[in-house]
Amino acid sequence: MADEAWSGVQTPTRKTTRMGEANAERILDAALEIFAAYGYQGARVDQIAAAAGLSKPNLLYYFRTKEELYTAVLRRTLDMWLEPLRELDALSDPRVALSAYIARKLDYSRSQPVASRLFAMEMLQGAPHLTAALGGTLLELVEVKSRIIEGWINEGRLRPIDPKHLIFAIWATTQHYADFSTQIRALTGKGIEDDDFYETTRDMLSRIILDGVLPPEGQPR
């Protein structure tokens, strides 16, 4: 089903316990930092174990290989990003729903910039570890939500646009503030970690995108 979330933090062969879930999250957090610093090829499992405060054998109990762990880190990021997309509802007001979606995506760029940049690197390399996810769960979810956007268009609640390009535009603009944060700070002297700059960014993105897709005021719906 398109709206199912990946477990991400644990492989199907592992018994799920509260402590086990906590350990798996610690491992994923540590792995994110190490993979971001050294890349997939340069990162070592013993480095990740040390950063997580666990022994290497203990880490390998949860994730049997470096590749399995790397894929789990990427899938956790993708699942986090897809959570607000899953919430788009056909009965919602498009302005409210899209504003909330833009805000949530920007929130993730603010709170999880390292995860966003690591994901971007995977995409630039051809997504060798996420091919199945991109052609499966992600594709199905985008198709479902595109049909909701098409419904809004047919009802006259949005301009006639391509739904996928709208989704891509939201992804591109919100993730830009994490992936190109160095460039943004060089040009503005600020980043979205600054409260005022974050609020301005959120408001401007909402205005730019929504003014482009919502019908003019007073137009029959």
Side-chain angles (χ1 to χ4, degrees):
M1 295 292 293
D3 285 357
E4 289 180 353
W6 288 301
S7 62
V9 299
Q10 202 146 0
T11 61
T13 58
R14 306 296 188 260
K15 182 183 292 185
T16 301
T17 65
R18 186 169 298 175
M19 181 176 293
E21 290 176 351
N23 283 341
E25 286 293 338
R26 284 170 57 196
I27 293 168
L28 290 172
D29 290 342
L32 171 60
E33 297 298 328
I34 298 299
F35 284 130
Y38 299 99
Y40 175 71
Q41 296 298 333
R44 302 196 313 271
V45 172
D46 58 340
Q47 286 177 300
I48 297 169
L54 299 170
S55 68
K56 183 176 178 179
N58 199 355
L59 182 151
L60 293 174
Y61 171 79
Y62 294 94
F63 301 96
R64 291 165 292 191
T65 66
K66 183 171 77 168
E67 182 176 14
E68 182 180 296
L69 177 54
Y70 183 67
T71 301
V73 170
L74 295 171
R75 283 183 172 239
R76 183 176 68 163
T77 298
L78 182 57
D79 196 49
M80 173 186 70
W81 280 343
L82 294 184
E83 180 186 348
L85 182 58
R86 292 187 179 98
E87 294 176 1
L88 282 184
D89 187 291
L91 299 179
S92 300
D93 177 80
R95 178 183 291 276
V96 174
L98 293 174
S99 293
Y101 183 45
I102 292 166
R104 289 281 301 280
K105 286 291 281 97
L106 192 64
D107 281 342
Y108 287 139
S109 287
R110 188 186 196 196
S111 64
Q112 302 291 335
V114 176
S116 182
R117 289 192 287 271
L118 184 65
F119 191 91
M121 287 301 300
E122 173 71 8
M123 294 299 104
L124 290 173
Q125 294 166 5
H129 299 90
L130 281 179
T131 302
L134 297 180
T137 305
L138 178 60
L139 175 61
E140 293 171 10
L141 182 60
V142 169
E143 291 291 345
V144 169
K145 300 309 176 179
S146 292
R147 287 194 290 273
I148 289 176
I149 295 171
E150 287 172 355
W152 289 337
I153 293 169
N154 293 335
E155 294 167 359
R157 302 167 78 188
L158 288 181
R159 295 176 189 266
I161 56 168
D162 185 300
K164 290 188 178 68
H165 286 300
L166 172 58
I167 294 171
F168 297 159
I170 293 172
W171 291 352
T173 51
T174 54
Q175 289 165 220
H176 178 85
Y177 289 87
D179 301 343
F180 289 84
S181 59
T182 301
Q183 176 176 269
I184 288 170
R185 277 191 290 272
L187 296 175
T188 67
K190 297 178 181 179
I192 55 173
E193 68 277 359
D194 178 271
D195 289 342
D196 290 339
F197 187 76
Y198 166 77
E199 291 178 7
T200 298
T201 301
R202 181 196 60 208
D203 293 345
M204 289 304 300
L205 289 183
S206 292
R207 285 176 56 190
I208 291 167
I209 294 173
L210 294 181
D211 284 353
V213 301
L214 290 171
E217 291 293 331
Q219 176 174 306
R221 299 190 177 191

